[in-house]
Amino acid sequence: MNFDLFSNQFRAEIDAYLIKHLPVATSPYCEILSEAMRYSVRAKGKRVRPLLCIASYALFEKNLYKISPYWAAIEWIHTYSLIHDDLPALDNDDYRRGELTNHKKFGDSTAILAGDTLNAFAFEHLCEELPLHFSPDKCLKAISLLAKACGLNGMGGGQFMDISAERNGTDADVLFIHSAKTGAILQSCVLGPAILTNCNDAVYKLLSNFGQSIGLLFQIVDDILDVTESSEILGKTANKDILQGKLTVVSVYGLDRARELAKNTYKNAQNDLSKIGNMGYDTEFLKTILDYFLERTY
Amino acid sequence: MNFDLFSNQFRAEIDAYLIKHLPVATSPYCEILSEAMRYSVRAKGKRVRPLLCIASYALFEKNLYKISPYWAAIEWIHTYSLIHDDLPALDNDDYRRGELTNHKKFGDSTAILAGDTLNAFAFEHLCEELPLHFSPDKCLKAISLLAKACGLNGMGGGQFMDISAERNGTDADVLFIHSAKTGAILQSCVLGPAILTNCNDAVYKLLSNFGQSIGLLFQIVDDILDVTESSEILGKTANKDILQGKLTVVSVYGLDRARELAKNTYKNAQNDLSKIGNMGYDTEFLKTILDYFLERTY
């Protein structure tokens, strides 16, 4: 299946859900903060995390709408992390998804708080909506997995390492940073749906490996695109990693070997998927996303 | 009961739990971020939120340790909110709890991320530890209450209003800001334990009112102390509200009427407590905290 075809099947619903369920300000004083939250959620993201969640959930269930609260929370959390990462104190980026970053539009203080309130709301929504479809004990496990993926040894720590690592770090360093910064959340997209359904241990283990590989693949390709594509195509500043002297897969391995690493990581993920497929699960959606992660150009 | 006596009974345990359960960095790269999280948690806070939680839980249960994950999460969230509030883009404060603020010690980027990872960890800990003592459906309700209290119409929105409100706002404005910024979380300290136990509707309603009053009282007294006490006693910069032209209860009402408002709010809370006491519950701990909230000098 073609990624665009797969994406188009869900994109409108994802975009609508993400905006529709955001909280409404009860005071006129909070209107601008509410607007700042909406601004970044509304920006044209690729929504790969929701799509990955849906693809994983499709292994186990046909009623795909039930997993919506989980991917929505992940996308809100992803959005908050972008808002904070773009701040002058961190990556200092002016453009994101082809538009002004949140702090360029609303100011630093509002951007910090818009990130914080999106983060809080993601957990509120999970606690309110997930139990409508899944048992409370499974809900708590799936929420815990996600919270952990956001924390010190996940996204937050990964972002910290990303801004503090030396450009002359080792290959092990950069892979560790990538698996924490991007990988942990992408792995949650794959594993959260498995926790919420009746996934057996063997499949869970394979999905865990697959999730790790696909997270790494995404970030390797991100590093490659930073040096090979224009800002216009990326919707964010190109060559940013080099300009900021960041430790990336390209800075460590060079472009050719980075591409090779991407292909090997792809093959590992493909291998895990084949095994899951051989156990009788329909892996078409996950395969579509995996192919896209390797071949994407922005 | 005297507040110091009550506080001393639990303070050592609270301080130890808050540090002991923080996540450990799995990579040496994250050591400094981990240290930044610990730095602000370790700072000498009054721990009024944990104590309020314990006091509320004591209405219903004797094994007080069971509520620990809930107050710990609240204190970590409170700590993250202080770290973010102190940032140059927001309140720009150099001292907090008598020590350098997080960003003055570790830099802005680390402070932002330390706040974010404390926030994520609070939810992880709640999902992991609360179900060891309470039913999963009650856990989800109590976590949701807290997440909501942190969000757009709670702490986050309140902080936004606090930095954006004009000093010449109305009395209704300032009361709204205070109930969102400080009140929502303090109310959660009172209501979370009630949700987790077998609290009946009548008591819940009274506790809800009590929680609202005690939250408001806390912030009114904060506004008063800002103009009547020294930085040395407060452990943070005195007269900060006036210098920053903030809308406070004192700026709206003047000092005498602010004190009157504090007393009236105290009486409302006292009234709710009496009713709860008349229904056979031991309200001594809550009464101790209420008295302290009115009489505290820092």
Side-chain angles (χ1 to χ4, degrees):
Chain A
M1 180 185 265
N2 173 284
F3 179 77
D4 286 341
L5 213 67
F6 166 63
S7 171
N8 288 340
Q9 206 176 322
F10 299 102
R11 268 303 295 271
E13 189 196 331
I14 292 171
D15 288 346
Y17 188 102
L18 288 172
I19 288 296
K20 184 180 151 196
H21 287 82
L22 282 176
V24 174
T26 56
S27 154
Y29 279 126
C30 286
E31 282 296 340
I32 293 171
L33 181 60
S34 169
E35 202 190 309
M37 293 167 76
R38 263 154 236 275
Y39 174 80
S40 289
V41 172
R42 202 186 283 116
K44 290 180 188 60
K46 294 185 284 282
R47 311 300 190 202
V48 292
R49 287 157 191 79
L51 291 168
L52 188 54
C53 249
I54 289 169
S56 175
Y57 191 65
L59 292 175
F60 309 101
E61 296 281 345
K62 292 223 158 100
N63 283 330
L64 298 179
Y65 76 93
K66 287 185 184 173
I67 199 66
S68 309
Y70 201 71
W71 55 246
I74 291 180
E75 190 69 9
W76 289 321
I77 285 172
H78 172 59
T79 305
Y80 116 68
S81 79
L82 297 181
I83 295 173
H84 282 190
D85 287 2
D86 287 337
L87 287 166
L90 286 102
D91 282 352
N92 192 23
D93 240 314
D94 291 353
Y95 290 94
R96 168 71 72 178
R97 294 171 172 174
E99 297 186 55
L100 284 177
T101 46
N102 199 290
H103 69 275
K104 291 302 278 185
K105 178 93 179 172
F106 296 95
D108 293 3
S109 60
T110 304
I112 291 167
L113 293 171
D116 290 345
T117 47
L118 272 175
N119 194 9
F121 182 67
F123 288 103
E124 180 189 341
H125 190 75
L126 285 167
C127 292
E128 290 289 321
E129 300 293 324
L130 269 192
L132 303 179
H133 307 302
F134 306 101
S135 73
D137 58 327
K138 287 181 176 177
C139 293
L140 286 164
K141 286 194 182 103
I143 300 170
S144 176
L145 175 90
L146 178 57
K148 194 184 180 84
C150 298
L152 173 64
N153 295 308
M155 185 178 74
Q159 175 64 7
F160 176 77
M161 294 188 276
D162 185 60
I163 56 174
S164 50
E166 300 288 332
R167 193 171 156 76
N168 57 3
T170 68
D171 50 352
D173 294 342
V174 71
L175 297 183
F176 192 93
I177 291 173
H178 284 3
S179 72
K181 186 186 170 192
T182 321
I185 295 279
L186 286 168
Q187 197 183 31
S188 300
C189 295
V190 177
L191 292 181
I195 289 173
L196 291 166
T197 53
N198 291 313
C199 173
N200 67 47
D201 290 351
V203 175
Y204 190 85
K205 184 81 183 68
L206 288 166
L207 278 176
S208 176
N209 290 340
F210 172 79
Q212 209 158 26
S213 296
I214 205 169
L216 185 57
L217 174 62
F218 187 85
Q219 195 58 46
I220 296 170
V221 172
D222 232 48
D223 288 354
I224 293 172
L225 293 176
D226 180 74
V227 299
T228 57
E229 299 292 341
S230 68
S231 302
E232 203 183 350
I233 286 178
L234 294 177
K236 61 183 179 182
T237 314
N239 291 309
K240 187 85 188 176
D241 295 338
I242 289 180
L243 293 170
Q244 294 193 336
K246 286 217 171 173
L247 179 66
T248 75
V249 172
V250 177
S251 81
V252 166
Y253 290 96
L255 194 53
D256 287 347
R257 283 187 58 211
R259 282 182 170 136
E260 206 178 307
L261 183 64
K263 268 177 208 148
N264 289 339
T265 309
Y266 170 87
K267 277 178 198 155
N268 287 341
Q270 200 180 29
N271 195 26
D272 292 324
L273 268 198
S274 296
K275 287 181 189 159
I276 295 170
N278 291 340
M279 293 162 95
Y281 295 91
D282 181 356
T283 60
E284 191 186 5
F285 283 172
L286 284 177
K287 179 72 172 55
T288 304
I289 293 182
L290 175 61
D291 290 345
Y292 168 71
F293 273 23
L294 181 68
E295 292 153 10
R296 71 198 181 93
T297 54
Y298 68 93
Chain B
M1 181 185 265
N2 173 285
F3 178 77
D4 286 339
L5 213 66
F6 166 62
S7 172
N8 288 340
Q9 206 176 325
F10 298 102
R11 267 304 293 272
E13 189 195 334
I14 292 172
D15 287 345
Y17 187 104
L18 288 172
I19 288 296
K20 183 181 152 196
H21 287 81
L22 281 178
V24 174
T26 56
S27 154
Y29 279 127
C30 286
E31 283 296 340
I32 293 169
L33 181 60
S34 169
E35 201 190 309
M37 292 168 76
R38 262 154 236 275
Y39 175 80
S40 289
V41 171
R42 201 185 286 119
K44 291 181 189 59
K46 293 184 284 281
R47 312 298 191 203
V48 291
R49 288 158 190 79
L51 291 168
L52 188 53
C53 249
I54 289 169
S56 174
Y57 191 65
L59 291 175
F60 308 102
E61 297 280 343
K62 293 224 158 99
N63 284 329
L64 298 179
Y65 76 93
K66 288 186 185 173
I67 199 66
S68 310
Y70 201 71
W71 56 245
I74 291 180
E75 190 69 9
W76 289 321
I77 286 172
H78 173 59
T79 305
Y80 115 69
S81 80
L82 297 181
I83 295 174
H84 282 191
D85 287 3
D86 287 337
L87 286 165
L90 285 101
D91 283 352
N92 193 23
D93 241 314
D94 292 352
Y95 289 94
R96 166 72 70 179
R97 295 172 171 174
E99 297 186 53
L100 283 178
T101 46
N102 200 289
H103 68 275
K104 291 302 277 186
K105 178 94 180 169
F106 295 95
D108 292 4
S109 60
T110 303
I112 291 168
L113 293 171
D116 290 346
T117 47
L118 272 175
N119 193 9
F121 182 68
F123 287 103
E124 181 190 338
H125 190 75
L126 285 168
C127 291
E128 291 289 321
E129 300 293 324
L130 268 192
L132 303 179
H133 307 302
F134 306 101
S135 73
D137 58 325
K138 285 181 176 175
C139 293
L140 286 164
K141 286 195 182 103
I143 300 170
S144 177
L145 175 91
L146 178 57
K148 196 185 179 85
C150 298
L152 174 64
N153 295 309
M155 185 179 73
Q159 175 63 7
F160 176 77
M161 293 189 278
D162 185 59
I163 57 173
S164 50
E166 301 287 333
R167 193 170 155 79
N168 56 4
T170 68
D171 50 352
D173 295 341
V174 72
L175 297 183
F176 192 93
I177 291 173
H178 284 1
S179 71
K181 187 185 168 192
T182 321
I185 295 278
L186 286 168
Q187 197 183 30
S188 299
C189 295
V190 177
L191 292 182
I195 289 173
L196 290 167
T197 53
N198 292 312
C199 172
N200 67 45
D201 290 352
V203 175
Y204 190 85
K205 183 83 185 66
L206 288 166
L207 278 177
S208 176
N209 291 340
F210 172 79
Q212 210 156 28
S213 296
I214 205 168
L216 186 58
L217 174 62
F218 186 85
Q219 196 58 47
I220 296 169
V221 172
D222 231 47
D223 289 354
I224 293 171
L225 293 176
D226 181 74
V227 299
T228 56
E229 298 293 340
S230 69
S231 302
E232 202 183 351
I233 286 178
L234 293 177
K236 60 184 181 184
T237 316
N239 290 309
K240 186 88 187 176
D241 296 339
I242 289 179
L243 293 170
Q244 294 192 335
K246 287 219 169 171
L247 180 65
T248 73
V249 171
V250 176
S251 81
V252 166
Y253 289 95
L255 195 53
D256 287 347
R257 283 188 57 214
R259 283 180 170 139
E260 205 177 310
L261 184 63
K263 269 178 208 148
N264 288 339
T265 309
Y266 170 87
K267 278 180 197 155
N268 287 339
Q270 199 179 30
N271 196 26
D272 292 323
L273 269 197
S274 297
K275 286 181 190 160
I276 294 169
N278 291 340
M279 293 161 94
Y281 295 91
D282 181 355
T283 60
E284 191 186 4
F285 283 172
L286 284 177
K287 180 71 170 55
T288 302
I289 293 182
L290 175 61
D291 290 345
Y292 168 71
F293 273 23
L294 181 69
E295 293 154 11
R296 72 196 179 95
T297 53
Y298 68 94

